[in-house]
Amino acid sequence: MATYSVYYADLSLTTLQKYTLAQAITKIHADVTGAEAYFAQVIFKHLDVHDCFIGGVLLDEPHIFLSGQIRHGRSEQTKKQLLVELEIAIQRVSKLAGHQIWAYIDEIAPGQMIEYGQVLPAVGEDSVWFSTLPASIQKKLNYLNS
C-alpha cells in the first residue's frame, strides 16, 4: 500500500544500511499510520552522479531523495509526522545532513492500486480486505508482519 522509493546519488549504501533503512521506514510507516508492516515496501535505486541536477545544475554532493506513495485518507498531521520521522531515520542511517535529504509523500486513491491480486481498501478497512485474500497470501503476509 505504501511504496517508498529511495534514490541516492554520490554515495554508497551498504546492504546493511539498506536493510536498516528499509526496517526503519517500514516501522515508521506502520507506527505512524497504524497499517500493518506488510503494507510498506521499500525500493532502493542508486543514481549516477551525472544524472542528478538541482536548479538545473549538476548535483555536487551526496543526496538521498525519498518518494513515498501512500493511500489517500491520512491526516495532514500523519503525513507531516511521516516525513519528519523518515528524514530523521535517513539521517541516522546515511550520516547525511538534513539539507542533503529530500522527502515527498504522494497520495493515491486506494481504488487506483492493486496488490496481492486485490484492489486496495480505504484507510481503516484493512482487516476486511485481508480476510478476502487467499489463505496462502494471508499466511505470507502474517509472516512478513512478524
Side-chain angles (χ1 to χ4, degrees):
M1 296 211 181
T3 300
Y4 291 96
S5 299
V6 181
Y7 302 93
Y8 56 103
D10 202 18
L11 78 147
S12 294
L13 292 177
T14 66
T15 300
L16 179 59
Q17 285 175 305
K18 290 177 188 177
Y19 173 80
T20 303
L21 192 50
Q23 290 290 309
I25 290 170
T26 299
K27 182 172 178 7
I28 290 165
H29 181 82
D31 290 351
V32 172
T33 66
E36 298 292 342
Y38 58 71
F39 283 131
Q41 53 192 343
V42 182
I43 301 167
F44 291 89
K45 179 65 177 163
H46 183 249
L47 303 173
D48 186 87
V49 68
H50 298 106
D51 291 338
C52 301
F53 294 77
I54 295 179
V57 177
L58 188 63
L59 185 70
D60 65 351
E61 66 180 344
H63 265 76
I64 290 180
F65 303 91
L66 175 73
S67 176
Q69 296 175 311
I70 65 172
R71 280 182 290 170
H72 178 73
R74 310 282 185 204
S75 71
E76 290 301 312
Q77 178 58 34
T78 296
K79 291 180 280 190
K80 286 178 185 177
Q81 184 178 350
L82 270 174
L83 284 170
V84 169
E85 291 190 28
L86 291 167
E87 197 245 355
I88 290 168
I90 293 169
Q91 281 188 32
R92 182 175 34 82
V93 173
S94 70
K95 308 297 186 221
L96 293 181
H99 74 277
Q100 294 172 293
I101 299 166
W102 300 51
Y104 307 91
I105 298 289
D106 296 313
E107 294 180 293
I108 302 174
Q112 296 175 334
M113 296 182 276
I114 192 166
E115 291 182 11
Y116 306 107
Q118 302 290 326
V119 173
L120 296 180
V123 170
E125 296 178 11
D126 298 353
S127 61
V128 173
W129 175 84
F130 184 85
S131 70
T132 68
L133 296 174
S136 61
I137 300 296
Q138 289 182 18
K139 182 177 178 181
K140 178 181 179 176
L141 295 180
N142 282 326
Y143 172 78
L144 293 174
N145 216 40
S146 58

PDB file of all heavy atoms in Angstrom, residues 3-37:
ATOM      1  N   THR A   3       4.578   2.597  -0.994  1.00  0.00           N
ATOM      2  CA  THR A   3       5.835   2.309  -1.664  1.00  0.00           C
ATOM      3  C   THR A   3       6.763   3.477  -1.416  1.00  0.00           C
ATOM      4  O   THR A   3       6.434   4.624  -1.736  1.00  0.00           O
ATOM      5  CB  THR A   3       5.636   2.109  -3.172  1.00  0.00           C
ATOM      6  OG1 THR A   3       4.739   1.018  -3.372  1.00  0.00           O
ATOM      7  CG2 THR A   3       6.955   1.819  -3.867  1.00  0.00           C
ATOM      8  N   TYR A   4       7.886   3.176  -0.823  1.00  0.00           N
ATOM      9  CA  TYR A   4       8.905   4.187  -0.568  1.00  0.00           C
ATOM     10  C   TYR A   4      10.096   3.895  -1.471  1.00  0.00           C
ATOM     11  O   TYR A   4      10.743   2.861  -1.348  1.00  0.00           O
ATOM     12  CB  TYR A   4       9.332   4.166   0.902  1.00  0.00           C
ATOM     13  CG  TYR A   4       8.239   4.642   1.826  1.00  0.00           C
ATOM     14  CD1 TYR A   4       7.394   3.743   2.457  1.00  0.00           C
ATOM     15  CD2 TYR A   4       8.037   6.000   2.047  1.00  0.00           C
ATOM     16  CE1 TYR A   4       6.374   4.177   3.299  1.00  0.00           C
ATOM     17  CE2 TYR A   4       7.027   6.448   2.877  1.00  0.00           C
ATOM     18  CZ  TYR A   4       6.194   5.529   3.506  1.00  0.00           C
ATOM     19  OH  TYR A   4       5.198   5.965   4.330  1.00  0.00           O
ATOM     20  N   SER A   5      10.353   4.803  -2.398  1.00  0.00           N
ATOM     21  CA  SER A   5      11.488   4.673  -3.303  1.00  0.00           C
ATOM     22  C   SER A   5      12.602   5.583  -2.796  1.00  0.00           C
ATOM     23  O   SER A   5      12.389   6.784  -2.612  1.00  0.00           O
ATOM     24  CB  SER A   5      11.091   5.072  -4.723  1.00  0.00           C
ATOM     25  OG  SER A   5      10.065   4.219  -5.192  1.00  0.00           O
ATOM     26  N   VAL A   6      13.752   4.976  -2.564  1.00  0.00           N
ATOM     27  CA  VAL A   6      14.911   5.689  -2.039  1.00  0.00           C
ATOM     28  C   VAL A   6      15.931   5.798  -3.172  1.00  0.00           C
ATOM     29  O   VAL A   6      16.529   4.802  -3.575  1.00  0.00           O
ATOM     30  CB  VAL A   6      15.536   4.949  -0.833  1.00  0.00           C
ATOM     31  CG1 VAL A   6      16.732   5.722  -0.292  1.00  0.00           C
ATOM     32  CG2 VAL A   6      14.499   4.688   0.248  1.00  0.00           C
ATOM     33  N   TYR A   7      16.079   6.999  -3.696  1.00  0.00           N
ATOM     34  CA  TYR A   7      17.058   7.267  -4.748  1.00  0.00           C
ATOM     35  C   TYR A   7      18.252   7.948  -4.086  1.00  0.00           C
ATOM     36  O   TYR A   7      18.076   8.906  -3.332  1.00  0.00           O
ATOM     37  CB  TYR A   7      16.466   8.205  -5.802  1.00  0.00           C
ATOM     38  CG  TYR A   7      15.216   7.684  -6.458  1.00  0.00           C
ATOM     39  CD1 TYR A   7      13.959   8.018  -5.963  1.00  0.00           C
ATOM     40  CD2 TYR A   7      15.288   6.859  -7.568  1.00  0.00           C
ATOM     41  CE1 TYR A   7      12.812   7.536  -6.564  1.00  0.00           C
ATOM     42  CE2 TYR A   7      14.139   6.373  -8.178  1.00  0.00           C
ATOM     43  CZ  TYR A   7      12.895   6.716  -7.664  1.00  0.00           C
ATOM     44  OH  TYR A   7      11.764   6.249  -8.257  1.00  0.00           O
ATOM     45  N   TYR A   8      19.448   7.466  -4.382  1.00  0.00           N
ATOM     46  CA  TYR A   8      20.612   8.071  -3.744  1.00  0.00           C
ATOM     47  C   TYR A   8      21.706   8.300  -4.780  1.00  0.00           C
ATOM     48  O   TYR A   8      21.882   7.529  -5.705  1.00  0.00           O
ATOM     49  CB  TYR A   8      21.107   7.249  -2.563  1.00  0.00           C
ATOM     50  CG  TYR A   8      21.437   5.803  -2.851  1.00  0.00           C
ATOM     51  CD1 TYR A   8      22.764   5.393  -2.973  1.00  0.00           C
ATOM     52  CD2 TYR A   8      20.434   4.849  -2.995  1.00  0.00           C
ATOM     53  CE1 TYR A   8      23.077   4.062  -3.237  1.00  0.00           C
ATOM     54  CE2 TYR A   8      20.736   3.530  -3.244  1.00  0.00           C
ATOM     55  CZ  TYR A   8      22.062   3.144  -3.368  1.00  0.00           C
ATOM     56  OH  TYR A   8      22.369   1.835  -3.617  1.00  0.00           O
ATOM     57  N   ALA A   9      22.396   9.424  -4.607  1.00  0.00           N
ATOM     58  CA  ALA A   9      23.418   9.836  -5.565  1.00  0.00           C
ATOM     59  C   ALA A   9      24.666  10.302  -4.834  1.00  0.00           C
ATOM     60  O   ALA A   9      24.581  10.924  -3.772  1.00  0.00           O
ATOM     61  CB  ALA A   9      22.884  10.972  -6.434  1.00  0.00           C
ATOM     62  N   ASP A  10      25.802   9.981  -5.408  1.00  0.00           N
ATOM     63  CA  ASP A  10      27.113  10.409  -4.920  1.00  0.00           C
ATOM     64  C   ASP A  10      27.418   9.863  -3.525  1.00  0.00           C
ATOM     65  O   ASP A  10      28.106  10.489  -2.740  1.00  0.00           O
ATOM     66  CB  ASP A  10      27.243  11.934  -4.948  1.00  0.00           C
ATOM     67  CG  ASP A  10      28.701  12.398  -4.969  1.00  0.00           C
ATOM     68  OD1 ASP A  10      29.575  11.576  -5.308  1.00  0.00           O
ATOM     69  OD2 ASP A  10      28.951  13.565  -4.627  1.00  0.00           O
ATOM     70  N   LEU A  11      26.880   8.690  -3.221  1.00  0.00           N
ATOM     71  CA  LEU A  11      27.216   7.971  -2.002  1.00  0.00           C
ATOM     72  C   LEU A  11      26.890   6.510  -2.214  1.00  0.00           C
ATOM     73  O   LEU A  11      26.159   6.149  -3.127  1.00  0.00           O
ATOM     74  CB  LEU A  11      26.477   8.516  -0.772  1.00  0.00           C
ATOM     75  CG  LEU A  11      25.024   8.126  -0.569  1.00  0.00           C
ATOM     76  CD1 LEU A  11      24.750   8.041   0.920  1.00  0.00           C
ATOM     77  CD2 LEU A  11      24.096   9.143  -1.182  1.00  0.00           C
ATOM     78  N   SER A  12      27.470   5.689  -1.390  1.00  0.00           N
ATOM     79  CA  SER A  12      27.201   4.253  -1.438  1.00  0.00           C
ATOM     80  C   SER A  12      26.432   3.868  -0.184  1.00  0.00           C
ATOM     81  O   SER A  12      26.740   4.345   0.907  1.00  0.00           O
ATOM     82  CB  SER A  12      28.510   3.466  -1.486  1.00  0.00           C
ATOM     83  OG  SER A  12      29.185   3.708  -2.686  1.00  0.00           O
ATOM     84  N   LEU A  13      25.449   3.032  -0.354  1.00  0.00           N
ATOM     85  CA  LEU A  13      24.748   2.453   0.779  1.00  0.00           C
ATOM     86  C   LEU A  13      25.053   0.964   0.780  1.00  0.00           C
ATOM     87  O   LEU A  13      24.850   0.286  -0.231  1.00  0.00           O
ATOM     88  CB  LEU A  13      23.234   2.672   0.675  1.00  0.00           C
ATOM     89  CG  LEU A  13      22.725   4.096   0.809  1.00  0.00           C
ATOM     90  CD1 LEU A  13      21.213   4.137   0.603  1.00  0.00           C
ATOM     91  CD2 LEU A  13      23.089   4.690   2.161  1.00  0.00           C
ATOM     92  N   THR A  14      25.530   0.469   1.890  1.00  0.00           N
ATOM     93  CA  THR A  14      25.812  -0.956   2.002  1.00  0.00           C
ATOM     94  C   THR A  14      24.505  -1.725   2.102  1.00  0.00           C
ATOM     95  O   THR A  14      23.439  -1.141   2.371  1.00  0.00           O
ATOM     96  CB  THR A  14      26.665  -1.252   3.244  1.00  0.00           C
ATOM     97  OG1 THR A  14      25.883  -0.955   4.418  1.00  0.00           O
ATOM     98  CG2 THR A  14      27.960  -0.435   3.249  1.00  0.00           C
ATOM     99  N   THR A  15      24.590  -3.027   1.932  1.00  0.00           N
ATOM    100  CA  THR A  15      23.412  -3.863   2.097  1.00  0.00           C
ATOM    101  C   THR A  15      22.854  -3.713   3.509  1.00  0.00           C
ATOM    102  O   THR A  15      21.637  -3.649   3.696  1.00  0.00           O
ATOM    103  CB  THR A  15      23.754  -5.333   1.797  1.00  0.00           C
ATOM    104  OG1 THR A  15      24.228  -5.415   0.446  1.00  0.00           O
ATOM    105  CG2 THR A  15      22.545  -6.242   1.961  1.00  0.00           C
ATOM    106  N   LEU A  16      23.740  -3.637   4.495  1.00  0.00           N
ATOM    107  CA  LEU A  16      23.290  -3.458   5.878  1.00  0.00           C
ATOM    108  C   LEU A  16      22.581  -2.114   6.051  1.00  0.00           C
ATOM    109  O   LEU A  16      21.544  -2.040   6.721  1.00  0.00           O
ATOM    110  CB  LEU A  16      24.459  -3.569   6.853  1.00  0.00           C
ATOM    111  CG  LEU A  16      24.102  -3.365   8.329  1.00  0.00           C
ATOM    112  CD1 LEU A  16      23.068  -4.389   8.798  1.00  0.00           C
ATOM    113  CD2 LEU A  16      25.360  -3.430   9.191  1.00  0.00           C
ATOM    114  N   GLN A  17      23.100  -1.055   5.466  1.00  0.00           N
ATOM    115  CA  GLN A  17      22.443   0.250   5.561  1.00  0.00           C
ATOM    116  C   GLN A  17      21.072   0.215   4.889  1.00  0.00           C
ATOM    117  O   GLN A  17      20.112   0.773   5.407  1.00  0.00           O
ATOM    118  CB  GLN A  17      23.302   1.342   4.929  1.00  0.00           C
ATOM    119  CG  GLN A  17      24.490   1.750   5.766  1.00  0.00           C
ATOM    120  CD  GLN A  17      25.360   2.746   5.021  1.00  0.00           C
ATOM    121  OE1 GLN A  17      25.806   2.485   3.903  1.00  0.00           O
ATOM    122  NE2 GLN A  17      25.585   3.889   5.646  1.00  0.00           N
ATOM    123  N   LYS A  18      20.971  -0.450   3.734  1.00  0.00           N
ATOM    124  CA  LYS A  18      19.680  -0.559   3.050  1.00  0.00           C
ATOM    125  C   LYS A  18      18.695  -1.348   3.911  1.00  0.00           C
ATOM    126  O   LYS A  18      17.538  -0.949   4.056  1.00  0.00           O
ATOM    127  CB  LYS A  18      19.840  -1.236   1.692  1.00  0.00           C
ATOM    128  CG  LYS A  18      20.576  -0.399   0.670  1.00  0.00           C
ATOM    129  CD  LYS A  18      20.737  -1.201  -0.612  1.00  0.00           C
ATOM    130  CE  LYS A  18      21.624  -0.503  -1.606  1.00  0.00           C
ATOM    131  NZ  LYS A  18      21.824  -1.324  -2.821  1.00  0.00           N
ATOM    132  N   TYR A  19      19.159  -2.459   4.461  1.00  0.00           N
ATOM    133  CA  TYR A  19      18.309  -3.270   5.330  1.00  0.00           C
ATOM    134  C   TYR A  19      17.837  -2.451   6.533  1.00  0.00           C
ATOM    135  O   TYR A  19      16.647  -2.438   6.859  1.00  0.00           O
ATOM    136  CB  TYR A  19      19.065  -4.517   5.797  1.00  0.00           C
ATOM    137  CG  TYR A  19      18.323  -5.324   6.832  1.00  0.00           C
ATOM    138  CD1 TYR A  19      17.311  -6.199   6.456  1.00  0.00           C
ATOM    139  CD2 TYR A  19      18.611  -5.192   8.180  1.00  0.00           C
ATOM    140  CE1 TYR A  19      16.605  -6.929   7.400  1.00  0.00           C
ATOM    141  CE2 TYR A  19      17.921  -5.911   9.136  1.00  0.00           C
ATOM    142  CZ  TYR A  19      16.921  -6.786   8.743  1.00  0.00           C
ATOM    143  OH  TYR A  19      16.226  -7.489   9.687  1.00  0.00           O
ATOM    144  N   THR A  20      18.775  -1.756   7.174  1.00  0.00           N
ATOM    145  CA  THR A  20      18.448  -0.946   8.355  1.00  0.00           C
ATOM    146  C   THR A  20      17.454   0.144   7.998  1.00  0.00           C
ATOM    147  O   THR A  20      16.486   0.388   8.733  1.00  0.00           O
ATOM    148  CB  THR A  20      19.733  -0.340   8.960  1.00  0.00           C
ATOM    149  OG1 THR A  20      20.636  -1.402   9.279  1.00  0.00           O
ATOM    150  CG2 THR A  20      19.445   0.478  10.189  1.00  0.00           C
ATOM    151  N   LEU A  21      17.662   0.785   6.873  1.00  0.00           N
ATOM    152  CA  LEU A  21      16.756   1.857   6.443  1.00  0.00           C
ATOM    153  C   LEU A  21      15.391   1.291   6.045  1.00  0.00           C
ATOM    154  O   LEU A  21      14.359   1.871   6.390  1.00  0.00           O
ATOM    155  CB  LEU A  21      17.375   2.643   5.293  1.00  0.00           C
ATOM    156  CG  LEU A  21      16.710   3.951   4.922  1.00  0.00           C
ATOM    157  CD1 LEU A  21      16.478   4.849   6.124  1.00  0.00           C
ATOM    158  CD2 LEU A  21      17.539   4.678   3.875  1.00  0.00           C
ATOM    159  N   ALA A  22      15.366   0.154   5.366  1.00  0.00           N
ATOM    160  CA  ALA A  22      14.087  -0.468   4.998  1.00  0.00           C
ATOM    161  C   ALA A  22      13.306  -0.850   6.250  1.00  0.00           C
ATOM    162  O   ALA A  22      12.085  -0.649   6.316  1.00  0.00           O
ATOM    163  CB  ALA A  22      14.324  -1.693   4.121  1.00  0.00           C
ATOM    164  N   GLN A  23      13.990  -1.389   7.249  1.00  0.00           N
ATOM    165  CA  GLN A  23      13.333  -1.737   8.507  1.00  0.00           C
ATOM    166  C   GLN A  23      12.786  -0.481   9.195  1.00  0.00           C
ATOM    167  O   GLN A  23      11.662  -0.481   9.701  1.00  0.00           O
ATOM    168  CB  GLN A  23      14.317  -2.459   9.436  1.00  0.00           C
ATOM    169  CG  GLN A  23      14.691  -3.852   8.980  1.00  0.00           C
ATOM    170  CD  GLN A  23      13.534  -4.816   9.106  1.00  0.00           C
ATOM    171  OE1 GLN A  23      12.906  -4.916  10.148  1.00  0.00           O
ATOM    172  NE2 GLN A  23      13.241  -5.519   8.025  1.00  0.00           N
ATOM    173  N   ALA A  24      13.584   0.589   9.213  1.00  0.00           N
ATOM    174  CA  ALA A  24      13.159   1.837   9.858  1.00  0.00           C
ATOM    175  C   ALA A  24      11.954   2.443   9.139  1.00  0.00           C
ATOM    176  O   ALA A  24      10.986   2.865   9.774  1.00  0.00           O
ATOM    177  CB  ALA A  24      14.321   2.835   9.899  1.00  0.00           C
ATOM    178  N   ILE A  25      12.004   2.494   7.809  1.00  0.00           N
ATOM    179  CA  ILE A  25      10.901   3.063   7.031  1.00  0.00           C
ATOM    180  C   ILE A  25       9.626   2.258   7.268  1.00  0.00           C
ATOM    181  O   ILE A  25       8.548   2.818   7.487  1.00  0.00           O
ATOM    182  CB  ILE A  25      11.263   3.120   5.533  1.00  0.00           C
ATOM    183  CG1 ILE A  25      12.336   4.192   5.306  1.00  0.00           C
ATOM    184  CG2 ILE A  25      10.020   3.384   4.670  1.00  0.00           C
ATOM    185  CD1 ILE A  25      12.951   4.165   3.907  1.00  0.00           C
ATOM    186  N   THR A  26       9.749   0.942   7.251  1.00  0.00           N
ATOM    187  CA  THR A  26       8.594   0.072   7.472  1.00  0.00           C
ATOM    188  C   THR A  26       7.995   0.300   8.854  1.00  0.00           C
ATOM    189  O   THR A  26       6.776   0.438   9.002  1.00  0.00           O
ATOM    190  CB  THR A  26       9.000  -1.403   7.297  1.00  0.00           C
ATOM    191  OG1 THR A  26       9.476  -1.580   5.955  1.00  0.00           O
ATOM    192  CG2 THR A  26       7.843  -2.343   7.572  1.00  0.00           C
ATOM    193  N   LYS A  27       8.844   0.350   9.866  1.00  0.00           N
ATOM    194  CA  LYS A  27       8.372   0.556  11.243  1.00  0.00           C
ATOM    195  C   LYS A  27       7.711   1.925  11.392  1.00  0.00           C
ATOM    196  O   LYS A  27       6.651   2.047  12.002  1.00  0.00           O
ATOM    197  CB  LYS A  27       9.520   0.411  12.235  1.00  0.00           C
ATOM    198  CG  LYS A  27       9.076   0.571  13.690  1.00  0.00           C
ATOM    199  CD  LYS A  27      10.185   0.242  14.652  1.00  0.00           C
ATOM    200  CE  LYS A  27       9.850   0.410  16.109  1.00  0.00           C
ATOM    201  NZ  LYS A  27       8.510   0.710  16.513  1.00  0.00           N
ATOM    202  N   ILE A  28       8.333   2.942  10.847  1.00  0.00           N
ATOM    203  CA  ILE A  28       7.763   4.295  10.925  1.00  0.00           C
ATOM    204  C   ILE A  28       6.398   4.320  10.250  1.00  0.00           C
ATOM    205  O   ILE A  28       5.427   4.843  10.808  1.00  0.00           O
ATOM    206  CB  ILE A  28       8.720   5.331  10.309  1.00  0.00           C
ATOM    207  CG1 ILE A  28       9.954   5.504  11.204  1.00  0.00           C
ATOM    208  CG2 ILE A  28       8.010   6.667  10.076  1.00  0.00           C
ATOM    209  CD1 ILE A  28      11.112   6.219  10.530  1.00  0.00           C
ATOM    210  N   HIS A  29       6.319   3.743   9.056  1.00  0.00           N
ATOM    211  CA  HIS A  29       5.034   3.749   8.349  1.00  0.00           C
ATOM    212  C   HIS A  29       3.965   3.043   9.174  1.00  0.00           C
ATOM    213  O   HIS A  29       2.858   3.560   9.344  1.00  0.00           O
ATOM    214  CB  HIS A  29       5.160   3.101   6.968  1.00  0.00           C
ATOM    215  CG  HIS A  29       3.872   3.128   6.214  1.00  0.00           C
ATOM    216  ND1 HIS A  29       3.452   4.238   5.516  1.00  0.00           N
ATOM    217  CD2 HIS A  29       2.890   2.213   6.101  1.00  0.00           C
ATOM    218  CE1 HIS A  29       2.268   3.996   4.991  1.00  0.00           C
ATOM    219  NE2 HIS A  29       1.900   2.766   5.328  1.00  0.00           N
ATOM    220  N   ALA A  30       4.297   1.875   9.703  1.00  0.00           N
ATOM    221  CA  ALA A  30       3.323   1.106  10.489  1.00  0.00           C
ATOM    222  C   ALA A  30       2.934   1.847  11.768  1.00  0.00           C
ATOM    223  O   ALA A  30       1.750   1.942  12.101  1.00  0.00           O
ATOM    224  CB  ALA A  30       3.889  -0.279  10.820  1.00  0.00           C
ATOM    225  N   ASP A  31       3.921   2.386  12.477  1.00  0.00           N
ATOM    226  CA  ASP A  31       3.643   3.077  13.737  1.00  0.00           C
ATOM    227  C   ASP A  31       2.822   4.349  13.538  1.00  0.00           C
ATOM    228  O   ASP A  31       1.892   4.623  14.288  1.00  0.00           O
ATOM    229  CB  ASP A  31       4.944   3.425  14.467  1.00  0.00           C
ATOM    230  CG  ASP A  31       5.666   2.210  15.034  1.00  0.00           C
ATOM    231  OD1 ASP A  31       5.091   1.099  15.026  1.00  0.00           O
ATOM    232  OD2 ASP A  31       6.822   2.380  15.478  1.00  0.00           O
ATOM    233  N   VAL A  32       3.179   5.119  12.524  1.00  0.00           N
ATOM    234  CA  VAL A  32       2.523   6.414  12.325  1.00  0.00           C
ATOM    235  C   VAL A  32       1.131   6.261  11.714  1.00  0.00           C
ATOM    236  O   VAL A  32       0.198   6.963  12.105  1.00  0.00           O
ATOM    237  CB  VAL A  32       3.410   7.348  11.462  1.00  0.00           C
ATOM    238  CG1 VAL A  32       2.664   8.629  11.082  1.00  0.00           C
ATOM    239  CG2 VAL A  32       4.701   7.693  12.215  1.00  0.00           C
ATOM    240  N   THR A  33       0.978   5.319  10.777  1.00  0.00           N
ATOM    241  CA  THR A  33      -0.314   5.191  10.095  1.00  0.00           C
ATOM    242  C   THR A  33      -1.232   4.158  10.733  1.00  0.00           C
ATOM    243  O   THR A  33      -2.436   4.174  10.487  1.00  0.00           O
ATOM    244  CB  THR A  33      -0.128   4.788   8.620  1.00  0.00           C
ATOM    245  OG1 THR A  33       0.419   3.459   8.566  1.00  0.00           O
ATOM    246  CG2 THR A  33       0.770   5.772   7.877  1.00  0.00           C
ATOM    247  N   GLY A  34      -0.662   3.238  11.507  1.00  0.00           N
ATOM    248  CA  GLY A  34      -1.460   2.162  12.086  1.00  0.00           C
ATOM    249  C   GLY A  34      -1.661   0.993  11.136  1.00  0.00           C
ATOM    250  O   GLY A  34      -2.325   0.013  11.477  1.00  0.00           O
ATOM    251  N   ALA A  35      -1.087   1.081   9.925  1.00  0.00           N
ATOM    252  CA  ALA A  35      -1.206  -0.011   8.954  1.00  0.00           C
ATOM    253  C   ALA A  35      -0.257  -1.144   9.333  1.00  0.00           C
ATOM    254  O   ALA A  35       0.741  -0.933  10.023  1.00  0.00           O
ATOM    255  CB  ALA A  35      -0.870   0.499   7.552  1.00  0.00           C
ATOM    256  N   GLU A  36      -0.576  -2.334   8.874  1.00  0.00           N
ATOM    257  CA  GLU A  36       0.301  -3.475   9.107  1.00  0.00           C
ATOM    258  C   GLU A  36       1.629  -3.258   8.373  1.00  0.00           C
ATOM    259  O   GLU A  36       1.668  -2.618   7.316  1.00  0.00           O
ATOM    260  CB  GLU A  36      -0.367  -4.764   8.606  1.00  0.00           C
ATOM    261  CG  GLU A  36      -1.663  -5.099   9.309  1.00  0.00           C
ATOM    262  CD  GLU A  36      -1.475  -5.485  10.769  1.00  0.00           C
ATOM    263  OE1 GLU A  36      -0.355  -5.826  11.178  1.00  0.00           O
ATOM    264  OE2 GLU A  36      -2.482  -5.441  11.515  1.00  0.00           O
ATOM    265  N   ALA A  37       2.694  -3.813   8.914  1.00  0.00           N
ATOM    266  CA  ALA A  37       4.030  -3.640   8.330  1.00  0.00           C
ATOM    267  C   ALA A  37       4.096  -4.166   6.896  1.00  0.00           C
ATOM    268  O   ALA A  37       4.828  -3.615   6.067  1.00  0.00           O
ATOM    269  CB  ALA A  37       5.077  -4.320   9.207  1.00  0.00           C
TER     270      ALA A  37
END
